[in-house]
Amino acid sequence: MTAAMSYYDALDFGNADDETPCKREHEGASFSVRELTRLLHIDEPGETWQVRTAFALRRVHEGEALVHAGDKFHSLYVARSGCFKTVYTDLSGSEQVLGFPMCGDLMGADGIDSGHYRSSAISLDTSEVVILPLARMARLVYQSPRLEALIYRILSRELVRVQNMAWTLGTLGAEGRVAAFLLNLSARLGALGYSPCSFNLRMTRQDIGSYLGLKLETVSRALSALNTAGFIQVQQRSIDIIDADALRRVIDPAACDRAGFAPTRESIPKASGVENGGGRARPQVQSGIAWGKLAAA
Amino acid sequence: MTAAMSYYDALDFGNADDETPCKREHEGASFSVRELTRLLHIDEPGETWQVRTAFALRRVHEGEALVHAGDKFHSLYVARSGCFKTVYTDLSGSEQVLGFPMCGDLMGADGIDSGHYRSSAISLDTSEVVILPLARMARLVYQSPRLEALIYRILSRELVRVQNMAWTLGTLGAEGRVAAFLLNLSARLGALGYSPCSFNLRMTRQDIGSYLGLKLETVSRALSALNTAGFIQVQQRSIDIIDADALRRVIDPAACDRAGFAPTRESIPKASGVENGGGRARPQVQSGIAWGKLAAA
DNA sequence: CGGTAAGTTGAATCTAGTCAAGAAACGTGG
DNA sequence: CCACGTTTCTTGACTAGATTCAACTTACCG
């Protein structure tokens, strides 16, 4: 109940001074609704937004937290530049990275319901975000009805993203997860106008592992395996995607079969010559790549 | 772009005949906004909702799909009775259960952004849902501003649910996941007025496994282990929770240490007397329960 | 009362985690 | 500019946990 009250306080339509807590916005900088829609890729060329409001920006330095888990909810944020990690912190200190928001991505939506943010957003870079005070957004809807649909869409989009993540964690093995991670990153960077096949990771192996439900060593091994297989080229944080289709086949062995890629080839002595027989491993979707297998093929 | 257009078609505020596709609603039955808020537990006693609209209901029989993945998005749904499973279907036929919505839970929100549902909702029971055509909801907001906050909240709530799921999949081992699943179910049934310690599962081991990223055999083994340990009592679909705190300790070994529960006791011959030495297993949070360990202690 | 679907259990195998030791990159100060 | 310590990353060996395959038991439904 108290959570519900605090929420309604923040979202009261009457006279909420929704600007108050945003004291760290750096001055001069602001963002129109039009620019916001472009940033979010929810952009209809002929659209008139009928509203002259501008949203404040905020700069966040590397290592700094945009929001802390547990903080009272006030605003949604959309990254405008830089890169973040959102970290869910359990009661007992157990953590997990839930995402790596970048330019155009939403943060803070998990705080709406309870009135408190559920995860922390930590900048991995010097970043800039657009501040969207929800109470103000809610009021603006009455001036620009299309804004309502926009809010629904960005919330739904975030939901789909997390659903996809759950699917990845639930069905893919280690290399599949890493491959999916790289392809996702590649696609997002490509959409932003950067090269989709050559980029630098902003996060550590540990962060990636936490995100993918793996240990950092496993992430490292998976990257090495994909490297040795010739699908990517890794050198510390620098990634080059050589064969994106091959990565897709790592995720989806069915497509792999169709394409004549043969993952069922037990040709590797695997250093410690145990020579195992027939069993297989993961259930629904499986990478089929033993650690050195692709290397030797 | 086409996806975006179809979305805006459905959500156009002017004159969308949002009732058309809901032909299967069974007559007479309808649902007021007031009742809806109570169902969703977003209920402020003194609230006046200023709107006399009624939402249609729809009955879904066991095995029937409320929505299919890929269908054009039209409405959100809130379960009023019964139980569903939401199934994400990958392009290559790989499936995963993303949730088991019950009374008061939202379905269909993953379709808002793209204009097409991303997952199917299949009834595990004879169920009834409240149909919330989004276009109509969007218009109603102008009659009852509080309705706007309600929509944001239910979307955020769903997001938090999936985030939690991702955390479970990413950090817990098999028994931890099963324990978390049972506790979650228990809490939800309790909130609905049913017994939180004695209930029947509506889903198969396979469905549970798909939901938890495990094989059905593993689910079965985990349930057996928790049963043998005396934490629960399982008999096929019938579950009795004997020691909820113990289940919580399975999820959070830290709390387990505090409570003097000793999971690090290698006393089990484990049938095939291999007698392994020292290593440990999962990363951040781990159950620490070998299959027969608790039985022998 | 059979036939089928669902659940349990066992044994062998494989995947990912653990422990441990180095190698490579980075920042800082001499 | 290089030595130095720290952090990050890589790789190896071994182990625990989850999957696979398979047999069997139990429930369910006409």
Side-chain angles (χ1 to χ4, degrees):
Chain A
M1 282 302 139
T2 69
M5 289 310 289
S6 70
Y7 164 76
Y8 274 114
D9 288 347
L11 225 151
D12 203 293
F13 293 86
N15 46 12
D17 57 330
D18 52 60
E19 242 50 42
T20 318
C22 315
K23 30 190 176 235
R24 278 144 91 186
E25 61 196 67
H26 57 112
E27 21 281 310
S30 71
F31 221 68
S32 72
V33 173
R34 189 79 178 82
E35 290 173 301
L36 180 64
T37 60
R38 212 173 303 146
L39 183 62
L40 292 165
H41 293 277
I42 298 183
D43 191 29
E44 298 201 60
E47 195 75 45
T48 59
W49 289 93
Q50 301 163 327
V51 30
R52 285 276 138 260
T53 327
F55 298 104
L57 299 178
R58 177 174 155 191
R59 188 173 292 279
V60 191
H61 295 97
E62 184 175 336
E64 194 186 341
L66 172 65
V67 299
H68 286 282
D71 283 357
K72 192 154 172 290
F73 173 80
H74 184 271
S75 300
L76 298 175
Y77 299 90
V78 176
R80 200 182 95 92
S81 68
C83 181
F84 292 82
K85 65 173 177 183
T86 51
V87 183
Y88 178 95
T89 309
D90 191 53
L91 303 155
S92 54
S94 170
E95 294 191 350
Q96 183 179 21
V97 173
L98 290 176
F100 296 108
M102 290 171 12
C103 184
D105 293 330
L106 182 71
M107 289 175 278
D110 60 9
I112 298 177
D113 182 47
S114 71
H116 293 269
Y117 296 107
R118 287 300 181 96
S119 52
S120 307
I122 294 156
S123 185
L124 299 175
D125 227 333
T126 296
S127 310
E128 206 173 34
V129 297
V130 186
I131 304 173
L132 307 178
L134 188 59
R136 182 141 71 96
M137 295 290 281
R139 263 185 276 114
L140 283 173
V141 161
Y142 299 98
Q143 294 174 50
S144 176
R146 283 287 156 98
L147 209 52
E148 191 182 1
L150 183 143
I151 301 173
Y152 297 152
R153 287 189 66 182
I154 60 177
L155 293 178
S156 169
R157 180 181 294 186
E158 181 65 5
L159 179 64
V160 170
R161 190 192 67 78
V162 184
Q163 279 187 357
N164 253 304
M165 190 183 155
W167 177 83
T168 299
L169 293 174
T171 66
L172 297 181
E175 308 97 329
R177 295 184 204 184
V178 172
F181 170 72
L182 293 175
L183 285 172
N184 177 29
L185 215 53
S186 166
R188 288 159 70 197
L189 289 167
L192 293 174
Y194 299 106
S195 165
C197 12
S198 188
F199 49 87
N200 284 317
L201 300 173
R202 298 287 160 74
M203 63 293 284
T204 66
R205 300 285 190 266
Q206 174 125 53
D207 284 337
I208 299 171
S210 173
Y211 176 61
L212 298 175
L214 301 169
K215 301 279 87 182
L216 70 160
E217 294 98 325
T218 308
V219 174
S220 181
R221 276 188 247 268
L223 286 170
S224 296
L226 296 173
N227 184 29
T228 312
F231 300 167
I232 63 176
Q233 204 163 329
V234 197
Q235 193 155 29
Q236 306 288 136
R237 303 259 178 123
S238 138
I239 303 282
D240 286 84
I241 298 193
I242 310 294
D243 188 348
D245 281 328
L247 291 180
R248 275 183 273 274
R249 270 177 258 131
V250 171
I251 297 171
D252 176 9
C256 143
D257 291 346
R258 287 179 230 125
F261 175 75
T264 30
R265 186 91 46 89
E266 57 273 59
S267 46
I268 311 319
K270 212 172 163 255
S272 63
V274 189
E275 195 50 80
N276 297 331
R280 234 148 296 128
R282 279 246 157 195
Q284 344 202 13
V285 174
Q286 207 266 337
S287 73
I289 306 179
W291 283 115
K293 182 169 290 183
L294 290 164
Chain B
M1 280 304 139
T2 69
M5 288 311 289
S6 70
Y7 164 76
Y8 274 116
D9 289 346
L11 226 152
D12 202 294
F13 293 85
N15 45 12
D17 57 331
D18 53 58
E19 241 51 42
T20 318
C22 314
K23 34 192 172 231
R24 277 144 91 186
E25 59 194 69
H26 58 112
E27 21 282 310
S30 71
F31 220 68
S32 73
V33 174
R34 189 78 177 82
E35 289 173 301
L36 180 65
T37 59
R38 212 172 303 146
L39 182 63
L40 291 165
H41 293 278
I42 298 183
D43 191 29
E44 298 203 59
E47 195 75 45
T48 59
W49 288 94
Q50 302 163 328
V51 31
R52 285 276 139 260
T53 327
F55 297 104
L57 299 179
R58 176 173 156 191
R59 188 174 292 280
V60 191
H61 296 98
E62 185 175 335
E64 194 185 342
L66 173 65
V67 298
H68 286 283
D71 283 358
K72 192 153 172 292
F73 173 81
H74 184 271
S75 299
L76 298 175
Y77 299 90
V78 176
R80 199 183 96 94
S81 68
C83 181
F84 292 83
K85 65 173 176 184
T86 52
V87 184
Y88 178 95
T89 308
D90 189 54
L91 302 155
S92 55
S94 170
E95 295 191 348
Q96 184 180 21
V97 173
L98 289 176
F100 296 108
M102 292 171 11
C103 184
D105 293 331
L106 181 71
M107 288 175 279
D110 59 8
I112 298 177
D113 182 47
S114 70
H116 293 270
Y117 296 107
R118 287 300 181 97
S119 52
S120 307
I122 293 157
S123 184
L124 299 175
D125 226 334
T126 295
S127 309
E128 207 173 33
V129 297
V130 186
I131 304 173
L132 307 177
L134 188 60
R136 182 142 71 97
M137 295 291 280
R139 264 185 274 115
L140 283 173
V141 160
Y142 299 98
Q143 293 175 49
S144 178
R146 284 287 156 97
L147 208 52
E148 191 182 359
L150 183 143
I151 302 173
Y152 298 151
R153 286 190 66 182
I154 61 177
L155 292 178
S156 170
R157 180 181 294 185
E158 181 65 5
L159 179 65
V160 169
R161 189 192 67 78
V162 184
Q163 279 187 356
N164 253 304
M165 191 183 153
W167 178 82
T168 300
L169 292 174
T171 65
L172 297 180
E175 308 95 330
R177 296 184 203 183
V178 172
F181 169 71
L182 293 176
L183 286 172
N184 177 29
L185 215 52
S186 166
R188 288 159 71 197
L189 289 168
L192 293 174
Y194 300 106
S195 166
C197 11
S198 188
F199 49 86
N200 284 318
L201 300 173
R202 298 287 158 75
M203 64 293 284
T204 66
R205 299 287 190 266
Q206 175 124 54
D207 284 336
I208 299 171
S210 172
Y211 176 63
L212 297 175
L214 302 169
K215 300 278 87 183
L216 70 161
E217 296 97 326
T218 309
V219 174
S220 182
R221 276 187 246 268
L223 287 170
S224 296
L226 295 172
N227 183 28
T228 312
F231 300 167
I232 63 175
Q233 203 162 330
V234 197
Q235 192 154 31
Q236 305 287 136
R237 303 259 178 122
S238 139
I239 303 283
D240 286 84
I241 296 192
I242 311 295
D243 189 347
D245 281 330
L247 291 180
R248 275 183 272 274
R249 269 177 259 130
V250 172
I251 297 171
D252 176 9
C256 143
D257 290 346
R258 288 178 229 125
F261 173 77
T264 30
R265 184 90 49 88
E266 58 273 58
S267 47
I268 311 317
K270 210 171 164 256
S272 62
V274 190
E275 195 52 79
N276 298 331
R280 234 148 296 126
R282 279 246 156 196
Q284 343 199 14
V285 174
Q286 207 266 338
S287 73
I289 305 180
W291 284 116
K293 182 170 289 183
L294 290 163

